[in-house]
Amino acid sequence: MPELVRGKSGRVIGHLMGLLMLMKSQPLAYNKDNQEDKEPLFDTVNTLVDTLRIYADMMRGITVKPENMRAAVLQGFATATDLADYLVKKGVPFRDSHEVVAQAVRHADAQKCDLADLPLAVLQGFSPLIENDVYQILTPEGSLNARNHIGGTAPEQVKAQVARWRALLAQ
């Protein structure tokens, strides 16, 4: 079902592009061409309403398996960006921190382990600025908490958005 929704997104984006083109360079008078906005607008609204209904039905049938989710998150060096951000906060330019992280990821991949599994001495071989506190950010929880700003993934931000939207939907 989600793949059908993804497929519909092309249609909706196409309608948006058509509407933007229609509204571009409007003449000062005689805007009769604006009547062409109705069909794509109504089709988009219908598509969105149908999609939301489908998703609501689908979500009721989902069973969350936290252990499987955690295992999936731990694959593929998901915290590599966090390591780069850590180095940037220590004063390393991003282009340089990116290279340090690339080396660390290549090493971890060769060792068939995660960045968090590399000993401190190994990580410091890539950058002497890496200290023991790095292990706090090389976890899924550390990664989430590092984004504690509006729209971020930190649990308190997510809870705030859930509360906000529940309140809006209750109106």
Side-chain angles (χ1 to χ4, degrees), residues 77-88 94 97 101 105 115 137-138 143 147:
F77 305 104
T79 59
T81 303
D82 299 292
L83 180 56
D85 291 343
Y86 172 89
L87 291 167
V88 167
F94 185 79
S97 69
V101 172
V105 165
L115 289 171
I137 62 128
L138 293 179
S143 183
R147 287 151 184 86

Side-chain angles (χ1 to χ4, degrees), residues 144-160:
L144 292 174
N145 289 325
R147 287 151 184 86
N148 191 4
H149 50 77
I150 294 174
T153 56
E156 71 181 70
Q157 293 297 327
V158 173
K159 288 175 188 170

Side-chain angles (χ1 to χ4, degrees), residues 1-2 4-9 12 43-59:
M1 201 57 78
L4 297 177
V5 171
R6 189 192 65 77
K8 290 284 188 186
S9 67
V12 171
D43 184 63
T44 297
V45 169
N46 291 337
T47 300
L48 179 60
V49 168
D50 290 345
T51 299
L52 290 173
R53 284 189 181 127
I54 290 167
Y55 253 84
D57 288 343
M58 182 184 73
M59 294 304 288

Side-chain angles (χ1 to χ4, degrees), residues 62-75 140-141:
I62 290 178
T63 302
V64 176
K65 297 180 180 176
E67 61 281 352
N68 292 0
M69 292 174 69
R70 184 171 187 80
V73 165
L74 292 174
Q75 295 178 0
E141 294 81 9

Side-chain angles (χ1 to χ4, degrees), residues 14-120:
H15 287 328
L16 172 62
M17 292 298 107
L19 287 169
L20 291 173
M21 191 66 190
L22 176 66
M23 303 316 272
K24 174 180 163 306
S25 301
Q26 288 276 315
L28 293 175
Y30 195 71
N31 294 331
K32 198 148 176 81
D33 53 346
N34 284 349
Q35 66 188 342
E36 287 298 314
D37 70 347
K38 307 304 180 274
E39 184 181 342
L41 177 65
F42 293 143
D43 184 63
T44 297
V45 169
N46 291 337
T47 300
L48 179 60
V49 168
D50 290 345
T51 299
L52 290 173
R53 284 189 181 127
I54 290 167
Y55 253 84
D57 288 343
M58 182 184 73
M59 294 304 288
R60 287 185 194 100
I62 290 178
T63 302
V64 176
K65 297 180 180 176
E67 61 281 352
N68 292 0
M69 292 174 69
R70 184 171 187 80
V73 165
L74 292 174
Q75 295 178 0
F77 305 104
T79 59
T81 303
D82 299 292
L83 180 56
D85 291 343
Y86 172 89
L87 291 167
V88 167
K89 288 176 186 170
K90 298 263 186 170
V92 179
F94 185 79
R95 66 185 172 277
D96 297 334
S97 69
H98 182 274
E99 181 57 33
V100 168
V101 172
Q103 292 172 10
V105 165
R106 279 193 292 272
H107 182 80
D109 191 39
Q111 299 298 312
K112 304 223 183 299
C113 68
D114 190 59
L115 289 171
D117 299 325
L118 293 175
L120 183 58

Side-chain angles (χ1 to χ4, degrees), residues 112-132:
K112 304 223 183 299
C113 68
D114 190 59
L115 289 171
D117 299 325
L118 293 175
L120 183 58
V122 171
L123 288 171
Q124 288 175 331
F126 301 114
S127 172
L129 296 174
I130 297 175
E131 298 173 5
N132 202 42

